[in-house]
Amino acid sequence: MEYSILLKQYAPAMSEKEVDAFVGKARNSALKNQNTDVYKLCYSAIDLTTLTETDSVASVSTFVKKAVEFGKEYPSIPNVATICVFPSFVDTVGLGVEGTDIGITSVAGGFPASQTFLEVKMLEVAMAVENGADEIDIVINVGEMIQGEYDQMANEVEMLRKEAGEGTVFKVIIESGALKTPELIRRASLLSMLAGADFVKTSTGKIPVAATPEAAVVMCMAIRDYYSQTGRKVGFKAAGGVRTAEEAVLFYTIVEMILGKEWLTPSLFRIGASSLANNLISAIEGKSIKYF
């Protein structure tokens, strides 16, 4: 499909100056959202993540058990949305979360660089779903995006979307820190949505520049404009470097300002995080807690 033609239906991105001005307003508005209710919503929107070279069946099992038992220790705080792992640990998570409302997210498709054969990406996505993944996070081919090979990039996303299947939540990481400019970030977001993304996600967390409020503004504007043209709601996920409760609330506020409160639910708003969980629990409880 010639996706690049579809981009002509959308206006250009905001300028960097306009984006910076919007972020400034969001920082001021975020102050009113630094409260327990918002912290709890942000916690419930977490894809609790372990994606390290030291992961093992034993470590992932312990990680999952801790997440599952959280509800017993803190019954007033809604639990995380999903647990996010490498594809080889999907069945491990499945065994641990059985009987709970916690979903299973698997990165796939050559995560984090997306630099392998398309057939390998397709097989990895399919195997992750077959093993029990409820949600799949893939990465666009960033090199193709930077080189302007929009149709090739988007058609690959479409093929991986089909491999995941319609019953699977499909999140597309645009690696905003590598794209850098508002225009490329906007185009990557729009192309991903046009190709079937259920969520657009900022980052893998594996390069120096991860989730930024500036990228969030551009991406949420793209989601808003896509919705106005198609009527299809696409979610936003911030991931990579979101560590403090204040940072989580800033992303919450950006979504609130651009997309409205109807987007502030785990079905349309997520945060990929590990250390953030402890900081949100601490903010909710009013004392330093290291649960994970």
Side-chain angles (χ1 to χ4, degrees):
M1 183 172 177
E2 294 185 19
Y3 282 98
S4 54
I5 293 176
L6 300 178
L7 286 176
K8 295 178 181 179
Q9 302 173 15
Y10 296 89
M14 301 166 68
S15 68
E16 289 187 10
K17 186 176 181 180
E18 289 172 324
V19 172
D20 289 343
F22 194 100
V23 170
K25 293 178 182 177
R27 290 189 188 279
N28 289 332
S29 295
L31 296 176
K32 66 178 174 56
N33 286 329
Q34 291 179 7
N35 60 67
T36 300
D37 288 342
V38 172
Y39 296 149
K40 286 183 177 181
L41 186 283
C42 287
Y43 189 86
S44 73
I46 288 178
D47 287 340
L48 192 64
T49 303
T50 179
L51 295 170
T52 74
E53 63 279 0
T54 59
D55 286 344
S56 66
V57 170
S59 69
V60 171
S61 296
T62 300
F63 186 73
V64 174
K65 183 180 179 183
K66 195 76 172 172
V68 169
E69 290 177 347
F70 175 82
K72 298 175 183 176
E73 295 201 32
Y74 297 93
S76 66
I77 304 175
N79 214 336
V80 296
T82 75
I83 294 173
C84 179
V85 293
F86 285 117
S88 55
F89 298 112
V90 166
D91 53 354
T92 302
V93 179
L95 290 171
V97 302
E98 189 173 0
T100 76
D101 294 329
I102 301 174
I104 308 167
T105 294
S106 174
V107 296
F111 179 94
S114 193
Q115 297 288 6
T116 188
F117 302 106
L118 176 58
E119 293 82 359
V120 173
K121 297 179 185 181
M122 293 170 67
L123 181 60
E124 191 174 50
V125 169
M127 288 181 69
V129 173
E130 184 178 349
N131 282 359
D134 304 300
E135 307 189 0
I136 294 291
D137 288 20
I138 64 116
V139 192
I140 66 167
N141 188 313
V142 179
E144 289 176 352
M145 190 67 214
I146 291 172
Q147 292 302 315
E149 297 171 356
Y150 301 149
D151 291 339
Q152 190 168 334
M153 185 280 282
N155 275 292
E156 180 173 287
V157 171
E158 179 187 349
M159 293 180 74
L160 296 179
R161 159 81 271 183
K162 289 178 181 176
E163 284 295 325
E166 290 303 317
T168 304
V169 175
F170 190 67
K171 308 193 203 87
V172 179
I173 305 164
I174 66 166
E175 201 68 288
S176 55
L179 298 177
K180 298 180 181 179
T181 69
E183 188 57 38
L184 268 184
I185 291 170
R186 179 173 172 81
R187 290 179 185 177
S189 300
L190 288 168
L191 288 166
S192 297
M193 290 185 280
L194 289 163
D198 295 313
F199 275 77
V200 284
K201 174 180 170 182
T202 57
S203 327
T204 61
K206 302 298 185 182
I207 68 170
V209 179
T212 65
E214 290 78 14
V217 168
V218 176
M219 293 170 71
C220 287
M221 290 287 189
I223 292 170
R224 182 199 65 186
D225 295 347
Y226 176 80
Y227 174 65
S228 70
Q229 290 219 25
T230 68
R232 187 170 79 91
K233 291 181 178 179
V234 174
F236 168 76
K237 178 176 175 179
V242 186
R243 295 185 176 88
T244 69
E246 291 75 19
E247 288 168 342
V249 170
L250 178 56
F251 286 110
Y252 170 103
T253 303
I254 289 169
V255 171
E256 180 184 43
M257 292 174 69
I258 298 172
L259 297 168
K261 286 189 178 295
E262 62 187 300
W263 251 263
L264 292 170
T265 164
S267 64
L268 290 168
F269 173 57
R270 295 286 181 83
I271 305 171
S274 51
S275 59
L276 172 64
N278 284 329
N279 291 327
L280 280 172
I281 298 167
S282 298
I284 293 166
E285 295 295 306
K287 59 184 177 182
S288 181
I289 294 174
K290 190 172 183 180
Y291 180 81
F292 291 101

